[in-house]
Amino acid sequence: MDYEGWTKEALIKRLRGLEQAKAATTLEPQATDTQQRKKRRATEFDFGRFPQRKVALKFSYFGWPYHGLARQGDALGSEDKRQIESQYPTVEGELFRALAHCKLIDSEATCGYSRCGRTDRGVSGFGQVAA
C-alpha cells in the first residue's frame, strides 16, 4: 500500500484498526512450548509399551562426596530410607535416581539390578559395572 498520499487522520485510523485486530487475536494466552512439555510429563509412563532388556553399565566416579558405592537396601522405598540416603549419599543411590528419572527402570525391586565391586567412603571407582 502507498501510505504517502494518506492524511494524518487516515493513518491514525489505520494504525488503530491494526492494533485492535492484533489485540483480538492475542486475547487468549497461548501455551508456550515449556508449558506443553510439562503437561506431557504429567501423564504416567507406561513401561509395557516399550521392549525391555538387560544392559551392563560401565561407569567411573569420584568418591569424595559419597559414602561408598553400595547402599543398604531399597533406599527409595520408604521416606525414612530416603532421608538416610539424602544424609549419606551413595553412588548406587545416585545411579538409581538417574535411571528412574530417565525412565530406564520402573522400580528397584523389579529391575533385576546387580553390581560387581564396592568401595568405601571417599574412595573413587574406575571401571565399575552394574547390570
Side-chain angles (χ1 to χ4, degrees):
M1 294 185 96
D2 183 24
Y3 294 108
E4 289 182 24
W6 287 42
T7 64
K8 181 180 177 183
E9 292 78 22
L11 285 170
I12 291 173
K13 184 178 177 182
R14 174 73 174 149
L15 285 173
R16 287 191 179 145
L18 290 172
E19 287 176 348
Q20 288 176 352
K22 182 180 177 190
T25 60
T26 58
L27 286 179
E28 298 175 10
Q30 297 179 355
T32 63
D33 190 36
T34 306
Q35 290 171 336
Q36 290 174 348
R37 275 188 259 138
K38 285 182 182 179
K39 187 176 181 180
R40 271 187 265 145
R41 284 189 208 146
T43 61
E44 189 69 29
F45 186 80
D46 182 15
F47 282 92
R49 290 182 48 212
F50 302 97
Q52 296 178 8
R53 63 180 176 185
K54 202 153 176 89
V55 296
L57 300 173
K58 184 174 182 180
F59 59 98
S60 300
Y61 59 91
F62 293 112
W64 305 302
Y66 299 108
H67 289 261
L69 170 68
R71 64 188 172 149
Q72 302 299 317
D74 181 10
L76 301 179
S78 71
E79 185 60 36
D80 293 336
K81 291 183 179 182
R82 277 192 288 268
Q83 286 179 345
I84 291 171
E85 181 68 27
S86 67
Q87 290 175 347
Y88 304 105
T90 62
V91 176
E92 194 172 68
E94 294 296 324
L95 183 63
F96 270 119
R97 240 187 312 284
L99 291 172
H101 179 77
C102 295
K103 305 293 186 209
L104 295 175
I105 61 170
D106 185 16
S107 70
E108 297 173 44
T110 61
C111 72
Y113 172 80
S114 65
R115 73 176 120 58
C116 76
R118 55 180 273 180
T119 59
D120 293 330
R121 178 179 177 211
V123 178
S124 298
F126 299 97
Q128 298 287 334
V129 177

